[in-house]
Amino acid sequence: MGREAVAVCHWQGDVAEAKLHLDSRALSLRGEMRLDIPRNDIRDVVLSSEGLRVLTDGPELIMELGEVEAGRWQKALLKKPPTLAEKLGISAQTPAFVQGDYDDVPLARALAGATVKTPDDAAILLAVLMEEPDLQAASDLALTYPDKHIWMVHRKGKAAVVGDTMIRTHMRGLGFIDSKTSAISDQLTTTRYRLRAK
């Protein structure tokens, strides 16, 4: 997901064609030029005759894009990315019931002031899956509250005892459909499920 394009880029005296990718975390360049600029490091984005200038506290990046495309990229780069809580749809008005334990600062920040003690009072369910039994417990919770979305949170990559494929196979076998994914942190990711309408 995110915005993508190919452009000739100027960075610290180097000029090369690169594939641009913008998501909520960073502007990334791949190909002849490799670079990652975190969104938080971008101070301003200015249209100029040279191209679209991305200003940071350090070096300046210039991307040669057509006028229309440059305008779109400028708007996208200046738009504040959604917070993790916003991505998950969690707030004081739409609180989550959390099943399972976690030790993750970004997730804790997203849930701060937006959780309830019982699933009956929750707008959204969130299950943290660290071991295989957690998957059964999470699907049991989701089946008990079929009208609510459930976020299945698990570790990324090889560290995951319960991974994305295992979760998807299990949940789809029970009639659930996955509708959205989101990175949580360097360690955790999540996918949202809901029982498929009959």
Side-chain angles (χ1 to χ4, degrees):
M1 299 296 289
R3 176 174 290 276
E4 295 190 339
V6 175
V8 173
C9 298
H10 304 250
W11 174 258
Q12 293 186 301
D14 292 331
V15 180
E17 186 174 271
K19 182 177 180 182
L20 312 174
H21 175 81
L22 177 67
D23 59 28
S24 62
R25 300 175 75 178
L27 169 63
S28 301
L29 282 68
R30 295 294 180 263
E32 296 174 32
M33 184 178 287
R34 295 184 65 84
L35 176 67
D36 292 297
I37 301 176
R39 294 283 296 257
N40 291 339
D41 290 356
I42 296 173
R43 299 294 166 242
D44 201 0
V45 184
V46 180
L47 287 168
S48 73
S49 58
E50 301 165 288
L52 191 62
R53 296 169 53 217
V54 180
L55 309 180
T56 70
D57 287 338
E60 174 182 296
L61 171 68
I62 298 174
M63 305 184 300
E64 294 182 18
L65 296 159
E67 187 177 342
V68 173
E69 190 66 10
R72 290 181 183 142
W73 273 84
Q74 180 187 37
K75 186 175 179 180
L77 284 161
L78 290 174
K79 184 178 179 183
K80 184 180 177 185
T83 65
L84 177 57
E86 289 168 343
K87 285 193 218 175
L88 300 179
I90 294 169
S91 69
Q93 292 72 41
T94 55
F97 171 76
V98 180
Q99 179 175 277
D101 298 322
Y102 59 91
D103 181 17
D104 187 83
V105 172
L107 183 56
R109 285 184 184 145
L111 293 170
T115 60
V116 288
K117 296 189 184 300
T118 68
D120 288 325
D121 297 327
I124 297 167
L125 307 172
L126 188 144
V128 182
L129 314 176
M130 294 299 170
E131 304 295 336
E132 284 192 42
D134 297 338
L135 178 55
Q136 186 62 53
S139 61
D140 289 347
L141 175 66
L143 286 166
T144 304
Y145 296 91
D147 59 330
K148 296 182 181 185
H149 285 102
I150 184 166
W151 285 101
M152 306 291 252
V153 177
H154 61 92
R155 291 193 186 280
K156 291 180 176 179
K158 294 178 181 178
V161 174
V162 183
D164 188 54
T165 302
M166 181 189 295
I167 296 167
R168 184 176 292 111
T169 300
H170 180 80
M171 294 301 284
R172 286 186 176 175
L174 294 171
F176 286 82
I177 186 75
D178 45 314
S179 58
K180 191 175 181 182
T181 61
S182 177
I184 290 177
S185 64
D186 291 340
Q187 287 77 40
L188 299 178
T189 187
T190 188
T191 301
R192 187 179 68 185
Y193 288 86
R194 187 160 185 172
L195 197 61
R196 191 191 299 269
K198 294 181 179 178

